[in-house]
Amino acid sequence: MTPQEVELVQASFGKVLPQAEAAAGLFYERLFEIAPHVRPYFRGNLRAQGAKLMTTLCAVVESLHDLDELMPSVRAMARRHVAYGVTPADYQPVGAALVHALSVHLGEEFTPDVRGAWLSAYADLSSEMIMAAYPPRGAEGP
């Protein structure tokens, strides 16, 4: 990610945070609409799960300027997701649901540049997570 993309992601997420609960709810609503097969991955209270999602996103967004420090926890989270049944293909609808929720909550402020920055951030992180959780045969993860 470029420094400008990091700034766009951080600034736009700061505008979503006051609406965190609603944004998380919209994220899950959209995710289950476009990928109903993932619903069983989410056990328990979705409001609590949404709070965890937003806490995690906040930590990730705050750490985008230092991806090397962030990656060990991102990789560990990806490995945990395997136990829930998450597959590499599941990352695409998650990204789509995230972008949808952000676009709704940011409205006109979700410019093409902001969208591109979020897509770049999600592509970098999801690629890293997929590689950590599903390393090629014979490869060892960090």
Side-chain angles (χ1 to χ4, degrees), residues 33-64:
E33 178 183 306
I34 62 176
H37 70 278
V38 305
R39 181 64 179 97
Y41 302 167
F42 299 91
R43 298 179 182 100
N45 184 313
L46 264 186
R47 180 175 275 169
Q49 184 67 38
K52 288 180 189 177
L53 168 70
M54 296 309 283
T55 298
T56 300
L57 278 174
C58 191
V60 167
V61 167
E62 287 177 2
S63 300
L64 286 176

Side-chain angles (χ1 to χ4, degrees), residues 13-80:
F13 191 68
K15 294 173 183 175
V16 173
L17 273 179
Q19 309 165 49
E21 188 175 327
L26 184 58
F27 165 81
Y28 287 116
E29 179 182 305
R30 181 67 175 160
L31 179 61
F32 300 151
E33 178 183 306
I34 62 176
H37 70 278
V38 305
R39 181 64 179 97
Y41 302 167
F42 299 91
R43 298 179 182 100
N45 184 313
L46 264 186
R47 180 175 275 169
Q49 184 67 38
K52 288 180 189 177
L53 168 70
M54 296 309 283
T55 298
T56 300
L57 278 174
C58 191
V60 167
V61 167
E62 287 177 2
S63 300
L64 286 176
H65 63 280
D66 190 2
L67 288 177
D68 290 338
E69 186 175 319
L70 176 66
M71 284 307 161
S73 60
V74 167
R75 291 181 191 116
M77 179 173 52
R79 290 183 197 107
R80 287 191 307 273

